[in-house]
Amino acid sequence: MKIKMLESMAGQDFSLSSGDITDRFSNKEAGRFIKLGIAEKAPDEPVKKPETSKEWDAERMQILDENAGLLAANEALKAREADLLMQIDQLSAFKSSVVSALGVEPAGQETAVKARAPEQR
């Protein structure tokens, strides 16, 4: 089975870099590498490379469009992360105010009031 390496690997008589396609391993070994996430099944047919500058330009525009989409998705995820962090801060502040008002911690935790040593007489 042909596999595409996702991680570099070297042995006594070989060296493979990430992205290399090889069939030097048995199907059992190749399957194990795929299961471990260090390789993936290689595509059955070779990737067609653009031959003319027009094809190169079209591929470049497609890649730029994909990149723009990924950048937009990344910005949206950053905004979502900031929103979630703000919610965590608000919940933490709310928890602190509840704990302070009640003078008790949630089950399994002690407050400063409970942890105080008994008074000496």
Side-chain angles (χ1 to χ4, degrees):
M1 165 187 338
K2 283 189 177 186
I3 57 174
K4 179 180 177 184
M5 300 304 297
L6 300 175
E7 307 257 342
S8 297
M9 175 187 297
Q12 188 172 6
D13 61 346
F14 72 95
S15 175
L16 297 168
S17 297
S18 179
D20 286 353
I21 295 177
T22 183
D23 61 356
R24 72 171 287 111
F25 303 106
S26 69
N27 286 346
K28 184 177 179 181
E29 286 175 307
R32 195 176 79 220
F33 292 154
I34 292 169
K35 186 175 180 179
L36 292 171
I38 59 175
E40 64 185 12
K41 189 173 183 208
D44 291 333
E45 46 190 68
V47 176
K48 182 185 177 279
K49 294 183 180 178
E51 296 176 6
T52 66
S53 63
K54 190 174 187 176
E55 289 175 340
W56 278 106
D57 289 343
E59 184 172 332
R60 182 176 179 271
M61 289 305 296
Q62 180 184 357
I63 290 170
L64 288 173
D65 288 344
E66 289 174 14
N67 188 45
L70 291 172
L71 289 172
N74 188 37
E75 290 302 316
L77 289 172
K78 284 180 182 179
R80 179 70 176 139
E81 177 188 29
D83 182 50
L84 290 171
L85 289 172
M86 185 175 65
Q87 289 179 24
I88 288 170
D89 289 343
Q90 290 171 344
L91 287 170
S92 180
F94 177 73
K95 176 187 170 194
S96 295
S97 67
V98 169
V99 167
S100 177
L102 295 176
V104 293
E105 284 284 326
Q109 299 177 359
E110 296 182 2
T111 63
V113 174
K114 287 183 181 179
R116 207 180 298 156
E119 293 181 20
Q120 298 291 328
R121 294 186 190 210

